[in-house]
Amino acid sequence: MTLTPTRIRLALLALALGGFGIGLTEFVAMGLLPNLAADLLPDIWSVSHERANAQAGWLVSAYAAGVVIGAPTIAAVAAKFPRKQLLLACVALFTLGTLASALLPTFETVLVARFVAALPHGAYFGIAALVAASLMGPGKRGQGVALVLSGLTIANVIGVPTITWLGQEAGWRIAYLAVAAVFAAAFAAIALVVPFQPGDPAATVRRELGIFSRGQVWLALLIGSIGFGGFFAVYTYVAPLVTNVTGLDPAVVPWVLVVAGIGMTVGNFVGGRAADHSVIRTLFLCFGAFFIALLGLALTAQWTAGLFVFVFLVAAAASALSPAIQTRLMDVAGDGQSLAAAINHSSLNIGNSLGAYLGGITIAAGLGYLSPTWVGLLLVIPGVLLAVVSVALERRAGNRSEGARGVALDEDAVLDRPLA
């Protein structure tokens, strides 16, 4: 079936709308963290706002843990099923999990709901990335990944700030109900315009999980999880950073989130295009920019201009890493493309959970709301070192392969040489 350019654009927009909803459900907790803490942890809030905010950060960690577990499980089991049906199943689970988050009464039950809502996150993005890459055509994998991720990043420009404002005005539960409505719209859009695409009939759980026997896959996962954790160490606690470090009114928080979202959107598209030229060069350049941006934020966050400028740069540099890491995983995964496309989000959400957890520890220890930025700086260093190790091992393997081919050619020459 030949698709018209209009149908392709509509299909890509439908996939991005699902990503938009995921961006809302994943990041809205950051802007509403004090509201969640005050409502769900009133006893702790009355004693210490810092302790309550740090514990409310577990909601972010629970979502991240759901992504980590759900992405490889769903992707490995479901790789042989038609991709459109898998996307619809993922969006349906998002809708139900987000509704439960809005309606359940206690911190513990909301924590469980956030975990459940996150289970299809990686599988959705992985499957959607494969569908988008197919629609885009050869040589545009990085751009296809970036287009799917654009829904998530654009959510941080207009969606998360709007939902944050709604949650501040009408309550965080109303905010989550609005997010569930976005998922319902995404379900309808995907059902209407995304074309049928078969799964991989040869896929088996054993074959998909076989990618974990590849050392380069583990290195790519570690690069994402450790290096990317620095962003979530900062972003999880952005609301108290704005109010307690910079000293601005809570009404400014949505505007800071807008700036972060613009940074994510710009970084995502730049990273996607750069990854199509050189994945490795993109990784190193983005990590360098990320380190500089985090250092700038740590040194200037007490001033309004420093806060806005470096929040933008931190978000842009971190977001540019995502399509590069996903493309790298797909490069080293061999036959397990479905799982590779999904577990990138497990990797990044390990970083999400790690950053939120370590940032919460430093805040609870009384080191202040700027301390997660220094945590982020420390996490960048092992991320870069892992990238160096990955490249060194790849080059060594390439040289060994070239050497083996050279020996084989020499032997062939000897065998082909006429006898004297």
Side-chain angles (χ1 to χ4, degrees):
M1 176 182 176
T2 302
L3 300 176
T4 65
T6 299
R7 176 71 182 276
I8 291 173
R9 284 192 292 269
L10 288 173
L12 292 170
L13 285 172
L15 297 173
L17 181 59
F20 183 84
I22 295 172
L24 295 181
T25 200
E26 181 176 14
F27 294 120
V28 70
M30 283 73 160
L32 293 174
L33 199 68
N35 307 75
L36 289 158
D39 187 49
L40 293 173
L41 300 165
D43 294 339
I44 299 175
W45 181 262
S46 65
V47 176
S48 170
H49 290 187
E50 287 190 351
R51 282 181 53 205
N53 279 325
Q55 186 166 331
W58 294 0
L59 296 169
V60 177
S61 296
Y63 186 94
V67 178
V68 171
I69 293 171
T73 304
I74 296 174
V77 171
K80 66 171 57 179
F81 296 109
R83 290 170 178 171
K84 179 175 180 176
Q85 280 65 32
L86 287 174
L87 291 171
L88 291 172
C90 288
V91 176
L93 186 54
F94 275 126
T95 307
L96 294 174
T98 306
L99 277 173
S101 302
L103 300 176
L104 289 171
T106 66
F107 177 77
E108 291 77 15
T109 55
V110 173
L111 196 70
V112 172
R114 299 312 299 143
F115 175 83
V116 171
L119 290 173
H121 178 123
Y124 177 88
F125 275 123
I127 298 161
L130 292 174
V131 173
S134 173
L135 293 171
M136 289 287 291
K140 296 184 178 181
R141 284 184 311 160
Q143 292 177 61
V145 170
L147 279 168
V148 172
L149 291 173
S150 69
L152 187 150
T153 58
I154 291 170
N156 286 278
V157 179
I158 56 175
V160 173
T162 302
I163 293 293
T164 299
W165 171 83
L166 178 64
Q168 289 174 340
E169 294 297 318
W172 66 268
R173 295 185 186 275
I174 298 298
Y176 275 106
L177 288 174
V179 176
V182 171
F183 279 126
F187 184 95
I190 292 169
L192 287 172
V193 299
V194 173
F196 174 85
Q197 283 196 5
D200 182 355
T204 63
V205 173
R206 183 176 181 178
R207 192 195 77 178
E208 292 292 312
L209 294 178
I211 70 171
F212 291 115
S213 66
R214 298 169 179 258
Q216 287 287 4
V217 168
W218 285 104
L219 285 170
L221 289 172
L222 287 169
I223 290 167
S225 59
I226 295 175
F228 210 72
F231 173 64
F232 286 103
V234 174
Y235 198 61
T236 300
Y237 303 100
V238 69
L241 175 71
V242 172
T243 55
N244 291 60
V245 175
T246 316
L248 301 175
D249 190 87
V252 178
V253 171
W255 294 106
V256 176
L257 295 175
V258 168
V259 170
I262 294 171
M264 288 182 194
T265 303
V266 172
N268 175 56
F269 283 110
V270 170
R273 287 189 173 274
D276 281 333
H277 292 286
S278 173
V279 173
I280 298 301
R281 188 181 298 117
T282 300
L283 284 174
F284 284 116
L285 287 174
C286 289
F287 268 127
F290 193 27
F291 185 90
I292 293 169
L294 284 165
L295 182 61
L297 182 64
L299 297 177
T300 67
Q302 65 267 40
W303 297 297
T304 302
L307 173 75
F308 277 91
V309 168
F310 285 104
V311 161
F312 171 85
L313 293 175
V314 165
S319 189
L321 279 169
S322 185
I325 292 170
Q326 177 139 3
T327 305
R328 175 66 175 169
L329 268 170
M330 294 166 73
D331 285 341
V332 300
D335 292 334
Q337 291 293 296
S338 295
L339 184 55
I343 60 175
N344 177 52
H345 298 278
S346 290
S347 166
L348 299 185
N349 277 272
I350 289 173
N352 185 334
S353 184
L354 180 68
Y357 176 72
L358 294 177
I361 286 178
T362 61
I363 291 170
L367 298 179
Y369 288 111
L370 196 56
S371 60
T373 306
W374 295 103
V375 170
L377 275 166
L378 292 175
L379 289 175
V380 169
I381 295 170
V384 172
L385 292 176
L386 287 164
V388 171
V389 170
S390 178
V391 172
L393 290 175
E394 187 172 65
R395 287 180 177 173
R396 182 181 300 175
N399 290 337
R400 191 180 301 123
S401 177
E402 289 292 333
R405 280 200 293 271
V407 170
L409 289 172
D410 289 343
E411 290 175 347
D412 289 342
V414 170
L415 291 172
D416 291 340
R417 187 181 305 153
L419 294 174

